[in-house]
Amino acid sequence: MTTKSLLLPIQVGNNTLKHRVVLAPLTRFRATDKAVPTDLQVEYYRQRASEGGLLITEGTFISLFAGNYNRAPGIYNQEQIEGWKKVTSAVHEKKAFIFLQLWHVGRAGSKKFNPNNEQVVSASDIPIKNAVNYAGGYEYEQPRALEIDEIKSIVQDYRQAALNAIEAGFDGVEIHSANGYLIDQFINSSSNKRTDIYGGPVENRSHFALEVVAAIADAIGPERTAIRFSPGTPYQDMHDENVIKTWSYITNELQIRHPDLAYLHFIQANARYREDGHQNTNDSLEPYRQIWKGPFISAAGFSTSIDFAFDLAEKTGNLISFGRAFIANPDLPERLRNGWEINKYDRTTFYTHEAVGYTDYPYFSARSE
């Protein structure tokens, strides 16, 4: 019997994966109030590790000023590094691989999370409109546009966070440049009205993202560097004047400048993964696959569209990242391999702080006994 492409090996950076089922980065708020990873997180990632599988962690703050949502983790001090070492050790014991997602939320944060109530920052002084932040239930605030020297400093924060991740034992890092967070705020034309080298045409709006990639690739190697994008995704008031042109330009620049990156990770536009039961069969990512020659991860909506995930992997050879299905099924790769039933997830426990809905989902064998 022919093995489905989703379950075939692939080389990702320095790592030979045994299948293409990836744990998507998922904010879960199980760290301490000092942003230190907990034993609960160790168990969560250990459960979802499979031999030759790839896990991507939840978004992890690169500095004290990068967002600091309560109970989300960081990677900017030694206590956090030591906490993450326990996670990477647990994952590696199961012969799996794990990348850390590097996160700065920009205008999606709140001054109440900053040490001295500092104003939130962004590409421009444009707030997110008509929305409430899921991390704290507060209305979004007016951001302050970053000065050029501050942008340069944040690039260095990303670089140091990547070095910290390697010290913590991670196999690589994924730069979060999606979902309306800081780097995405520079890329999208609706949130970036700057008139300097970081604003205006796409060549300028992508400058920050490309600087971060270059700094990290130089620090830890391109084969341990990856980045995630969400072209055309409206979450957190994101809009761009020419989606395909913008992200095609960025993808092409990465192909030219950094062809040996571990992977590019793209989120399907309008996959509506926040709507339970919606089945996505829309693929919006083909323009970028045509440009990028390295490993490509497709994301969003596959947890409720398993057949579509298999079909897309067959058609493209892509890795597929799963969020909700992996939350509820720690043994998801084996369930997909064997056609076993998929546990249902409980959305009400996604952003709580306990083991319930986090580490208590059963393996197939445990549930079937």
Side-chain angles (χ1 to χ4, degrees):
M1 184 176 178
T2 303
T3 302
K4 293 287 189 180
S5 293
L6 187 60
L7 302 169
L8 289 175
I10 187 172
Q11 189 71 25
V12 172
N14 295 327
N15 313 300
T16 302
L17 307 189
K18 292 196 171 183
H19 58 77
R20 307 181 188 204
V21 180
V22 179
L23 173 66
L26 300 161
T27 295
R28 303 301 307 278
F29 298 133
R30 262 69 174 193
T32 71
D33 57 7
K34 294 184 178 179
V36 177
T38 62
D39 289 343
L40 201 57
Q41 287 169 280
V42 175
E43 177 63 12
Y44 172 80
Y45 287 109
R46 186 196 66 77
Q47 288 178 352
R48 284 152 187 80
S50 61
E51 184 174 353
L54 175 62
L55 311 180
I56 307 170
T57 73
E58 61 218 274
T60 302
F61 294 124
I62 62 170
S63 76
L64 185 60
F65 297 95
N68 207 26
Y69 295 159
N70 186 40
R71 305 291 292 273
I75 189 67
Y76 52 84
N77 65 38
Q78 197 61 42
E79 188 178 6
Q80 294 161 353
I81 292 170
E82 296 303 316
W84 280 119
K85 283 181 180 180
K86 298 176 185 177
V87 172
T88 59
S89 292
V91 169
H92 290 150
E93 283 174 7
K94 294 186 72 174
K95 300 180 180 180
F97 307 103
I98 184 166
F99 275 50
L100 181 77
Q101 190 186 68
L102 302 179
W103 199 21
H104 191 307
V105 304
R107 69 178 187 172
S110 171
K111 63 183 179 182
K112 72 178 182 179
F113 295 133
N114 288 330
N116 298 301
N117 291 317
E118 290 90 348
Q119 187 177 4
V120 295
V121 297
S122 185
S124 298
D125 60 352
I126 302 170
I128 298 171
K129 300 179 179 66
N130 303 316
V132 174
N133 190 295
Y134 76 97
Y138 56 86
E139 292 185 1
Y140 290 104
E141 300 162 11
Q142 181 83 24
R144 175 179 63 81
L146 285 162
E147 301 292 340
I148 288 179
D149 63 333
E150 293 177 303
I151 296 171
K152 301 295 186 184
S153 179
I154 291 173
V155 171
Q156 293 308 306
D157 288 341
Y158 274 102
R159 180 182 184 278
Q160 185 59 54
L163 290 168
N164 292 350
I166 299 305
E167 181 183 343
F170 285 97
D171 299 293
V173 300
E174 177 183 282
I175 301 158
H176 197 343
S177 180
N179 298 120
Y181 295 112
L182 183 61
I183 298 177
D184 203 30
Q185 293 160 24
F186 274 79
I187 294 172
N188 279 271
S189 58
S190 66
S191 51
N192 185 345
K193 302 300 181 183
R194 302 176 72 97
T195 57
D196 58 14
I197 61 170
Y198 291 100
V202 62
E203 293 83 358
N204 290 4
R205 287 183 281 115
S206 62
H207 197 51
F208 181 34
L210 295 172
E211 282 187 331
V212 171
V213 172
I216 292 177
D218 178 67
I220 67 172
E223 72 284 353
R224 296 195 288 192
T225 305
I227 189 166
R228 194 181 207 214
F229 297 113
S230 56
T233 299
Y235 182 61
Q236 297 193 130
D237 205 20
M238 287 289 96
H239 307 282
D240 189 73
E241 60 194 11
N242 194 327
V243 170
I244 293 177
K245 177 183 176 182
T246 294
W247 276 271
S248 292
Y249 172 81
I250 297 171
T251 305
N252 190 59
E253 287 301 302
L254 291 172
Q255 181 62 48
I256 293 169
R257 303 183 194 190
H258 307 288
D260 297 324
L261 292 180
Y263 61 83
L264 299 190
H265 190 176
F266 276 85
I267 299 172
Q268 299 277 4
N270 299 314
R272 293 161 58 186
Y273 51 88
R274 291 178 177 82
E275 298 178 23
D276 298 328
H278 174 71
Q279 292 191 329
N280 181 49
T281 57
N282 172 59
D283 176 32
S284 62
L285 304 179
E286 188 59 24
Y288 319 113
R289 289 193 199 97
Q290 293 296 319
I291 299 168
W292 178 249
K293 307 308 179 187
F296 192 108
I297 303 178
S298 292
F302 296 109
S303 289
T304 52
S305 305
I306 300 295
D307 289 342
F308 180 48
F310 272 103
D311 291 345
L312 191 66
E314 210 66 34
K315 175 184 175 182
T316 64
N318 285 180
L319 299 93
I320 305 292
S321 66
F322 294 86
R324 294 163 293 166
F326 232 140
I327 286 174
N329 299 271
D331 55 348
L332 182 63
E334 284 307 301
R335 288 178 186 258
L336 297 179
R337 187 184 305 278
N338 293 288
W340 295 338
E341 184 180 357
I342 302 297
N343 289 331
K344 293 181 172 60
Y345 58 87
D346 179 3
R347 187 180 289 274
T348 66
T349 63
F350 282 3
Y351 305 124
T352 55
H353 307 314
E354 298 79 30
V356 174
Y358 191 60
T359 56
D360 62 346
Y361 285 105
Y363 292 87
F364 181 82
S365 57
R367 191 186 65 166
S368 61
E369 288 178 354

